[in-house]
Structures are given as C-alpha cells and as structure tokens.
C-alpha cells in the first residue's frame, strides 16, 4: 500500500488501481481494515464506490487483503465510515 494506492483483483481477475480512503484498526476483531475506491471511477455527481477489506501488511509495503465475512465487521466498517464522513463534513464547513 504505497503512495496511498493499492491494487485490487476484482471478481473477473482484473487488476484495479485503487486510492486508499483510510485505514483503521479494530481491537474488538484484532484486525486492520482498509477502505478504498477505484481511481477515476466517479459517477456524474462525483460519487465513488467505496470498498472495504481487512488486511495484513507485509514487508516492503506489500500486503494481503481479505474479504469481510461477518455482519458485525460490516457494521463496524459502516459506523467508522459514517464517522469519517461526518468529520470531513465538519472540516468543509470550517473552511
């Protein structure tokens, strides 16, 4: 995950360059998570399709992504994303 980018392999086996939105650690699940989106894939209104995965970082900035498998993890990710979006909205209002 160098330069705030990662390469994601989609369900068709294609490599997709993605921008990392943010990462966080969960003590509850003992995992690190990354939220990311495909570079340059915005809709007409500027919306992006955010994806999430847990990850294990290896030496040299490489790492391995793993699928989110439980509803509890998805709930944590959604709550964390909502808090992130709220903090970004507050920053925009302050400017």
């Amino acid at each position: 995950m160098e330069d705030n980018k990662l390469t994601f392999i989609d369900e068709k086996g294609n490599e997709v360059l993605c921008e990392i939105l943010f990462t966080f650690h969960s003590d509850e699940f003992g995992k690190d998570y990354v939220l990311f989106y495909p570079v340059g894939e915005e809709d007409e209104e500027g919306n992006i399709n955010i994806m999430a995965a847990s990850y294990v970082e290896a030496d040299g900035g490489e790492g391995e992504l793993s699928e989110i498998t439980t509803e509890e993890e998805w709930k944590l990710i959604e709550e964390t994303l909502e808090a992130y979006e709220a903090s970004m909205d507050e920053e925009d209002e302050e400017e």
Side-chain angles (χ1 to χ4, degrees):
M1 291 189 286
E2 291 182 24
D3 300 325
N4 217 34
K5 300 218 178 356
L6 63 83
T7 302
F8 173 73
I9 308 298
D10 69 12
E11 61 277 351
K12 296 178 183 176
N14 300 315
E15 290 186 359
V16 180
L17 181 63
C18 295
E19 182 83 23
I20 297 171
L21 186 61
F22 67 90
T23 62
F24 70 97
H25 176 79
S26 167
D27 289 332
E28 179 182 354
F29 296 106
K31 294 181 181 181
D32 293 311
Y33 296 92
V34 59
L35 280 76
F36 55 98
Y37 58 92
V39 172
E41 290 192 22
E42 297 179 349
D43 66 14
E44 303 81 37
E45 297 166 2
N47 297 316
I48 55 175
N49 180 29
I50 298 173
M51 298 178 278
S54 63
Y55 73 94
V56 176
E57 192 166 349
D59 295 334
E62 297 291 318
E64 184 174 323
L65 299 177
S66 297
E67 196 173 328
I68 308 300
T69 57
T70 68
E71 288 296 319
E72 293 83 5
E73 285 179 287
W74 276 117
K75 183 176 181 182
L76 170 69
I77 290 166
E78 289 170 0
E79 290 170 354
T80 304
L81 179 58
E82 287 171 6
Y84 173 82
E85 289 173 337
S87 72
M88 296 306 289
D89 287 344
E90 286 176 14
E91 284 182 21
D92 288 345
E93 290 174 5
E94 292 175 3
E95 291 179 3

